[in-house]
């Protein structure tokens, strides 16, 4: 199991171990551009694509970016960046946080972060948080709580939109 980019179908493999050590902090330093990190999935249904970049980084030399492959232009994104599975327990609360920055600095951007018990985009209906109209040159941090009512796995999905 590795990275999946531009797939029309996403599969969940029982052989992929779920993340069980918390807190979990991921770094993209060792990811070769424009690849996405091992275990993550990218579903790109618009002119945008998720990729690693050195353009911007927060405490790291690389980060993930969803950008239009035709250049810097306003895009109605239908793209998802999906985490590896996290092992979760019924009734336990899990904090999810990340930092965001506008790519251009001057164009307002919006990202919604969801969680689900499957990696299929139609199942991402539980919102962790939405950061609306962020722009400028500063990083912003967001955080939300997930409280599953099951024992199993949880996925986190990032979806940019305008």
């Amino acid at each position: 199991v590795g990275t999946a980019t531009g797939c029309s179908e996403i599969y969940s493999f029982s052989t992929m171990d779920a993340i069980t050590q918390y807190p979990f902090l991921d770094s993209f330093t060792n990811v070769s551009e424009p690849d996405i990190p091992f275990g993550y999935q990218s579903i790109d249904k618009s002119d945008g694509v998720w990729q690693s970049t050195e353009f911007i980084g927060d405490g790291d030399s690389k980060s993930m970016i969803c950008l239009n492959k035709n250049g810097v232009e306003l895009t109605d994104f239908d793209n998802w960046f999906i985490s590896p599975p996290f092992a979760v327990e019924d009734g336990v609360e899990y904090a999810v946080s990340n930092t965001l920055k506008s790519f251009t600095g001057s164009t307002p951007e919006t990202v919604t972060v969801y969680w689900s018990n499957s990696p299929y985009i139609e199942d991402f209906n539980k919102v962790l948080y939405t950061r609306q109209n962020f722009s400028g040159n500063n990083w912003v941090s967001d955080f939300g709580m997930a409280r599953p009512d099951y024992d199993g796995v949880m996925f986190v999905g990032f979806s940019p939109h305008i």
Side-chain angles (χ1 to χ4, degrees), residues 74 102 104-110 132-136 161-162:
L74 193 59
S102 172
T104 63
S106 60
T107 303
E109 300 182 38
T110 299
Q132 295 182 338
N133 300 318
F134 64 95
S135 61
H161 46 94
I162 55 174

Side-chain angles (χ1 to χ4, degrees), residues 93-124:
E93 289 187 326
Y94 298 88
V96 177
S97 64
N98 70 296
T99 53
L100 304 166
K101 182 178 179 186
S102 172
F103 175 68
T104 63
S106 60
T107 303
E109 300 182 38
T110 299
V111 173
T112 300
V113 180
Y114 300 85
W115 69 278
S116 173
N117 65 344
S118 87
Y120 301 103
I121 58 174
E122 60 270 12
D123 294 334
F124 281 99

